[in-house]
Amino acid sequence: MANAAGAGGAQQADVAVVGAGFAGLYLLHRLRKAGFSAIGLESGNDVGGTWYWNRYPGARCDIQTSDYSYTWDPELEKAWTWSEKYATQPEILRYLGFVADRYDLRRDIRFGTTVSAATWDDGTQRWLLTTSSGAPVSCRYYVMASGCLSAPKPPEIEGFKDFKGEVYFTGRWPHEKVDFTGKRVAVIGTGSSAIQSIPLIAQQAAHLTVFQRTPNFALPAHNGPSPADRVEMLQKDIPAFREQARWSMAGVPLPPATDFSWQLSDAERRERFEKAWAAGDLVVMLTQLWADQAVDVDGNTLVADLLREKVRAVVKDPETAEALTPRDHPFGSKRPCLDTGYYATYNRPNVTLVNLRREPIKSITASGIKTDSRTVDVDAIVFATGFDAMTGAITAVHPISGRGGKSIAEAWEHGPQTYLGLTVAGFPNLFMITGPGSPSVLSNMMVSIEQHVDWITDRLVALREAGFTTIEATDTAQAGWQRHNADCSMITLHRLANTWYTGANVPGKPQGVMPYTGGVGPYRGICNEVVERGMLGFRLTGANGAEQCNDGEIVRLQPDVRLVLNLLASMNLPPLESFGAQGARDFLTQFNATRPAGRPVGEVVDGTLPGTDGPLPYRLYRPSTPGPHPIVVYFHGGGWVLGDEQSDDPLCRDLCRRTGMAFVSVGYRHAPEHRFPTAAEDSYAALCWIAGHAAELGGRPGPVSVAGWSAGGNMAAVTCQMARDRGGPQIAGQLLICPVTDCTFDRPSYVDNATGYFLTRSLMYWFWDLYCSPADRTDPRVSPLRGKLAGLPPAMVVTCEFDPLRDEGVAYAEAMAAEGVPVEQLKARGHFHSSFAMVDVVITGVGGRVQMARALRRFAGLPVEETPTRQDNTAQRPIQAAAAGAAD
Ligand code: NA7
């Protein structure tokens, strides 16, 4: 319990907590148990937070209540049973009241009290809070448990004050019963609050007019008792169920879908969709259909089209149905809604939809709402216009002044900046629960709240034990976190919609995806890692000048690269080289069998071509567009030892689709059976044959381009030199992806990335040993960097930050440029050696592959802007921004 007024008249506490909703209540409980004195400050007159204020008709949670509950006390779980799959607001409020009573939390909360200012005092190393009632509060730590959607957006519509009728805000609904019987009612907005309340208001009102700016995707909740399968899962093993939720992507224990849309027939996709529709569960529809639904515009459009059909099936008037059909954003990029009878409501004779895209609101008048083309007189207006989300409750509610008097509103002038969504540099001892930069609103809030509360409380205990009294994020850590957030947001489609996730709903608010899109489980892992790495990115200080600062960025890898590497690490595989050559080949075949099948191309033809010592296999990928197509001769990776003409299949398909060019992947012979210079000579022979038989292969006669990844990049570079020196064929350009270019192993990337990034230094040593004896290694047919570089065809050289081969790739690019070869470089930040080959796994590689496709088209003299797939057309612009960002 906090002490009564101290020396300066302020109430003293170890911790002050703003907000007595789900977050604040649990935090007070944990702090108390950990022996801290804590005070809760709550502007409402009782506990509940969001559920205290949002009392509008139809208000319910839209994550299943079995998941939308506290999980920190097994006894509490036993003591409360929810009556429905999606509980109503009154039931959820009763639950919170029950929890407050059970753990006697109200005694530490000052209700009806708003904080009017919070100021950090560097001298005392405490926060001073002034409050609307009662004594000010002096606290060591200040925690904003103030919610993500708690600062309602003020009405921006002109004339609002002139209206003489009743006015309601869904986010500040009166405690007294509101009766619309016999009244003409307007609802402005069609977000979750409106979609939940409209069917009930329509049942009461004489007439309801809905003013819609943007139609939203909504699914039927199919509410009722908790579904039997969920009950069974819970009863079987509650702790396992909860733990699975904690490590899941959205905070609900559902494993991600693994099939890709293009692997399923129309009928199979429809079957999955109808099953999800019948489930009445947002998370199911958002995650369980196919693996590309949330990360790829094409995969998403397939879901969105099926959802759009459902609107037309219910709403009888075609014009109203069309107006209600969302077409301007991918499904899930804006918060979708769960409804009960929403669309059918528009079939009622007493309901009218006004499409504000056609006739925007001009003003509110004394008697109603005036649009460009009509005036609708009403007795009551319901504003369901949403919130200043994520940041509003932190910046807009009261000034928070940190170190040097800088306010958080100033610090966030260009958008929220946080470390982990928990802390802000310059604001010592300030924490946020589910702040911007944490999964928060893109997750089951219960799981995210509990994780934050636990993390903060555990840290405060650890600080106390170590004798530290302040904790503050460093600028480096915060900047790194911003970058990581931006990287994550390039994976999902949230960036493609104007929503409250991006700040677009509030005029003048800086734009950018605010919640962390990298998933609840990965985020939890990162928070844990911060601790394991000695509070990485935090400065801790204590009495007598004690200080600890382990500065740095917690995630430097691209988020999906991090997941891949973590998965590989968890498999604890023996080093590849320990399998022997054949064992490693078998392993690679097995490994490749588990990767996503590449996307369809026009045609795939397997054949053989004459090599120097007999036939060599090839695989030809033709685009679906009419030919003849310019040809790219492709060389696979595998350290001259592994792989074959099919082993880079997803990459060949991807580049074939993006370029609209034919790819011929060559099966050159491998070491140790065939040592240097077999691979180089085979590759050159294949190049000559393909260039000479372009028409036969359905390709465009004339110069061909070459491309290759890893050792294949080495082949591509080498064959360009051989073609120049041996009289052809003519090569239009070379795409070298993470190429081997030199036999020296002492460049920094060989040292920095020696282990931990799949391609290890020792594996490279092994490859070199099997392929090439030391005496041959400086031959340009294996170390092209040692060759003559003038007169080579234009090149694009791609290197990855966390790749032992990075620096030799850069060296080759620079050396060619120095000899007058036109060279484009892509230095891919946060990527590893396999990033670009892991198509549809490392999604952040898309931007790089778009750039590579452009280079290949440019080499072939094709218009660079033309993009053959719809996915590119729709998603390309923002993804290219990522590519630019991902390059040094
Ligand atoms: P939302 O989802 O932000 O919805 C607000 C709605 O109000 C949305 O349809 C807005 O249209 C509309 N709106 C906002 N301002 C205006 C103006 N000035 N004129 C016309 N229409 C306007 O808030 P909710 O309360 O429904 O839901 C918030 C979250 O709570 C929800 O997502 C769940 O997480 C729980 P717009 O789409 O901006 O064009």
Side-chain angles (χ1 to χ4, degrees):
M1 176 62 191
N3 294 330
Q11 186 176 357
Q12 305 291 315
D14 293 327
V15 191
V17 178
V18 174
F22 270 101
L25 290 181
Y26 177 40
L27 183 59
L28 285 175
H29 171 71
R30 278 250 23 217
L31 289 169
R32 192 191 281 171
K33 279 193 75 173
F36 291 105
S37 62
I39 175 167
L41 300 161
E42 167 57 57
S43 58
N45 288 323
D46 200 353
V47 299
T50 283
W51 299 104
Y52 176 87
W53 298 107
N54 286 269
R55 295 164 183 256
Y56 59 83
R60 291 176 185 271
C61 58
D62 48 19
I63 290 281
Q64 291 200 32
T65 331
S66 50
D67 301 308
Y68 196 78
S69 309
Y70 285 132
T71 70
W72 40 269
D73 182 354
E75 294 307 313
L76 173 61
E77 295 223 50
K78 282 189 214 144
W80 183 271
T81 306
W82 294 102
S83 66
E84 286 181 283
K85 177 179 167 191
Y86 298 107
T88 59
Q89 173 270 336
E91 187 175 7
I92 299 173
L93 196 57
R94 271 202 307 282
Y95 173 73
L96 286 166
F98 171 77
V99 170
D101 290 341
R102 185 180 167 99
Y103 300 94
D104 189 20
L105 298 173
R106 284 193 176 87
R107 71 177 153 94
D108 287 340
I109 305 171
R110 252 199 241 166
F111 290 106
T113 303
T114 53
V115 181
S116 46
T119 309
W120 172 253
D121 182 338
D122 237 349
T124 59
Q125 299 197 326
R126 294 177 77 84
W127 284 93
L128 182 67
L129 315 182
T130 50
T131 54
S132 62
S133 61
V137 176
S138 166
C139 53
R140 174 77 63 204
Y141 300 102
Y142 183 36
V143 188
M144 299 294 288
S146 44
C148 297
L149 294 156
S150 45
K153 212 163 64 105
E156 308 126 350
I157 303 168
E158 202 186 303
F160 160 71
K161 291 211 164 70
D162 301 336
F163 183 62
K164 299 276 184 277
E166 300 160 31
V167 171
Y168 301 98
F169 292 87
T170 49
R172 289 288 180 271
W173 202 259
H175 288 213
E176 314 72 55
K177 191 170 163 34
V178 176
D179 189 358
F180 291 121
T181 308
K183 292 184 181 155
R184 298 161 305 167
V185 182
V187 171
I188 303 180
T190 49
S192 292
S193 305
I195 283 176
Q196 287 186 332
S197 57
I198 281 169
L200 296 176
I201 296 174
Q203 283 169 22
Q204 262 189 3
H207 196 92
L208 168 66
T209 310
V210 178
F211 293 81
Q212 171 194 269
R213 192 161 67 182
T214 314
N216 240 343
F217 288 102
L219 328 175
H222 299 309
N223 202 15
S226 231
D229 57 344
R230 193 48 77 92
V231 173
E232 196 189 311
M233 266 167 88
L234 263 170
Q235 282 172 350
K236 209 164 112 200
D237 190 347
I238 287 198
F241 181 94
R242 298 299 187 209
E243 196 57 11
Q244 212 186 324
R246 291 181 190 119
W247 290 98
S248 68
M249 290 304 275
V252 175
L254 292 172
T258 49
D259 297 324
F260 287 80
S261 60
W262 59 87
Q263 297 174 287
L264 302 166
S265 66
D266 286 353
E268 285 168 329
R269 284 199 297 266
R270 182 169 289 277
E271 192 189 327
R272 286 182 181 209
F273 170 78
E274 292 295 349
K275 204 170 148 209
W277 183 262
D281 188 312
L282 282 176
V283 186
V284 170
M285 188 63 90
L286 284 163
T287 64
Q288 298 298 293
L289 300 187
W290 34 89
D292 47 321
Q293 68 177 103
V295 296
D296 179 278
V297 172
D298 285 353
N300 189 279
T301 302
L302 292 164
V303 194
D305 284 346
L306 291 165
L307 287 165
R308 289 191 270 257
E309 268 183 28
K310 292 288 187 188
V311 182
R312 287 195 293 275
V314 176
V315 180
K316 293 196 178 118
D317 172 48
E319 197 181 329
T320 306
E322 181 51 33
L324 287 165
T325 303
R327 297 199 185 277
D328 73 336
H329 62 275
F331 171 62
S333 60
K334 189 180 176 96
R335 176 66 151 74
C337 309
L338 267 191
D339 77 271
T340 301
Y342 175 64
Y343 290 116
T345 299
Y346 291 93
N347 294 333
R348 295 173 66 103
N350 70 330
V351 176
T352 310
L353 179 72
V354 175
N355 180 353
L356 299 180
R357 296 280 176 210
R358 287 245 173 109
E359 44 173 315
I361 296 180
K362 278 186 122 169
S363 62
I364 293 177
T365 65
S367 60
I369 297 174
K370 197 169 165 203
T371 73
D372 269 1
S373 44
R374 64 182 123 168
T375 299
V376 181
D377 285 338
V378 290
D379 305 305
I381 302 179
V382 175
F383 285 87
T385 45
F387 301 86
D388 181 355
M390 311 285 304
T391 55
I394 297 166
T395 57
V397 176
H398 60 263
I400 301 178
S401 308
R403 209 184 276 291
K406 191 171 185 178
S407 76
I408 214 162
E410 284 167 335
W412 288 4
E413 192 189 346
H414 303 295
Q417 312 274 314
T418 70
Y419 184 35
L420 305 171
L422 276 161
T423 59
V424 185
F427 294 80
N429 292 6
L430 173 73
F431 293 96
M432 297 164 295
I433 308 282
T434 62
S438 76
S440 58
V441 292
L442 290 179
S443 68
N444 172 2
M445 285 300 259
M446 285 314 106
V447 171
S448 290
I449 284 172
E450 290 189 358
Q451 186 256 338
H452 268 189
V453 167
D454 289 339
W455 194 91
I456 292 170
T457 314
D458 291 346
R459 299 294 67 72
L460 297 191
V461 170
L463 291 177
R464 183 177 61 192
E465 283 169 3
F468 290 117
T469 48
T470 74
I471 173 170
E472 183 182 348
T474 68
D475 290 332
T476 308
Q478 183 164 288
W481 189 247
Q482 295 312 116
R483 206 166 21 248
H484 174 59
N485 267 268
D487 290 342
C488 289
S489 72
M490 296 313 294
I491 295 180
T492 66
L493 304 176
H494 294 99
R495 68 189 184 283
L496 302 180
N498 294 325
T499 64
W500 58 257
Y501 292 145
T502 66
N505 67 327
V506 175
K509 190 166 171 173
Q511 305 278 301
V513 178
M514 291 185 285
Y516 179 77
T517 57
V520 163
Y523 174 81
R524 175 182 295 268
I526 290 167
C527 290
N528 292 352
E529 194 183 323
V530 165
V531 179
E532 284 152 17
R533 292 171 65 183
M535 292 305 283
L536 185 74
F538 284 105
R539 175 170 291 105
L540 315 177
T541 66
N544 306 321
E547 183 168 343
Q548 174 195 312
C549 183
N550 192 4
D551 204 2
E553 295 174 36
I554 184 66
V555 185
R556 291 180 55 210
L557 293 166
Q558 289 292 327
D560 38 12
V561 170
R562 182 176 182 275
L563 293 184
V564 167
L565 289 173
N566 282 351
L567 185 69
L568 287 169
S570 73
M571 291 160 81
N572 220 0
L573 298 168
L576 202 51
E577 56 273 30
S578 68
F579 292 125
Q582 194 49 49
R585 285 173 195 152
D586 295 343
F587 171 82
L588 188 72
T589 308
Q590 272 178 25
F591 186 78
N592 284 349
T594 63
R595 68 189 170 180
R599 295 183 197 215
V601 294
E603 194 181 13
V604 177
V605 182
D606 290 326
T608 54
L609 56 86
T612 42
D613 292 323
L616 297 174
Y618 71 80
R619 175 167 272 202
L620 165 67
Y621 301 86
R622 279 205 199 100
S624 53
T625 49
H629 306 97
I631 288 186
V632 179
V633 180
Y634 180 84
F635 302 105
H636 66 82
W640 309 288
V641 175
L642 315 175
D644 55 33
E645 74 286 357
Q646 301 185 17
S647 55
D648 290 354
D649 189 74
L651 178 60
C652 289
R653 286 170 184 269
D654 186 81
L655 289 177
C656 171
R657 286 164 59 90
R658 289 181 193 283
T659 54
M661 295 163 76
F663 273 64
V664 188
S665 174
V666 174
Y668 53 88
R669 285 173 294 168
H670 293 136
E673 296 85 348
H674 303 281
R675 286 167 61 84
F676 172 84
T678 308
E681 293 297 341
D682 276 2
S683 296
Y684 177 65
L687 170 68
C688 293
W689 187 87
I690 293 164
H693 294 77
E696 196 177 305
L697 293 165
R700 193 180 76 180
V704 295
S705 296
V706 294
W709 166 61
S710 192
N714 177 262
M715 294 294 100
V718 164
T719 51
C720 286
Q721 295 193 12
M722 293 165 91
R724 178 199 55 197
D725 299 341
R726 299 185 186 182
Q730 210 187 330
I731 297 181
Q734 47 178 328
L735 169 63
L736 314 180
I737 309 168
C738 306
V740 181
T741 71
D742 193 30
C743 55
T744 303
F745 307 122
D746 55 5
R747 293 187 174 86
S749 59
Y750 250 99
V751 179
D752 299 346
N753 306 316
T755 57
Y757 303 106
F758 196 55
L759 177 66
T760 60
R761 181 169 55 187
S762 68
L763 183 57
M764 278 311 299
Y765 289 164
W766 184 66
F767 285 145
W768 272 98
D769 289 344
L770 290 192
Y771 181 51
C772 197
S773 57
D776 291 329
R777 289 188 185 178
T778 53
D779 189 310
R781 284 175 298 167
V782 68
S783 290
L785 187 58
R786 312 268 168 157
K788 184 182 139 206
L789 302 181
L792 289 174
M796 177 177 186
V797 181
V798 179
T799 50
C800 291
E801 185 180 4
F802 295 99
D803 181 0
L805 307 185
R806 179 193 68 204
D807 293 344
E808 66 194 79
V810 171
Y812 195 57
E814 288 174 355
M816 283 194 291
E819 290 297 326
V821 178
V823 178
E824 176 185 357
Q825 279 202 67
L826 169 61
K827 296 180 180 177
R829 178 177 57 75
H831 282 286
F832 79 133
H833 185 69
S834 304
S835 277
F836 293 111
M838 297 191 85
V839 177
D840 293 313
V841 174
V842 177
I843 311 285
T844 50
V846 170
R849 291 198 310 274
V850 167
Q851 211 173 319
M852 294 176 213
R854 291 176 157 224
L856 286 170
R857 287 180 66 83
R858 202 173 54 240
F859 298 155
L862 298 174
V864 164
E865 288 307 322
E866 190 187 313
T867 46
T869 69
R870 185 174 59 178
Q871 174 209 346
D872 295 338
N873 286 337
T874 336
Q876 187 158 281
R877 252 171 288 121
I879 281 173
Q880 272 164 2
D888 283 346

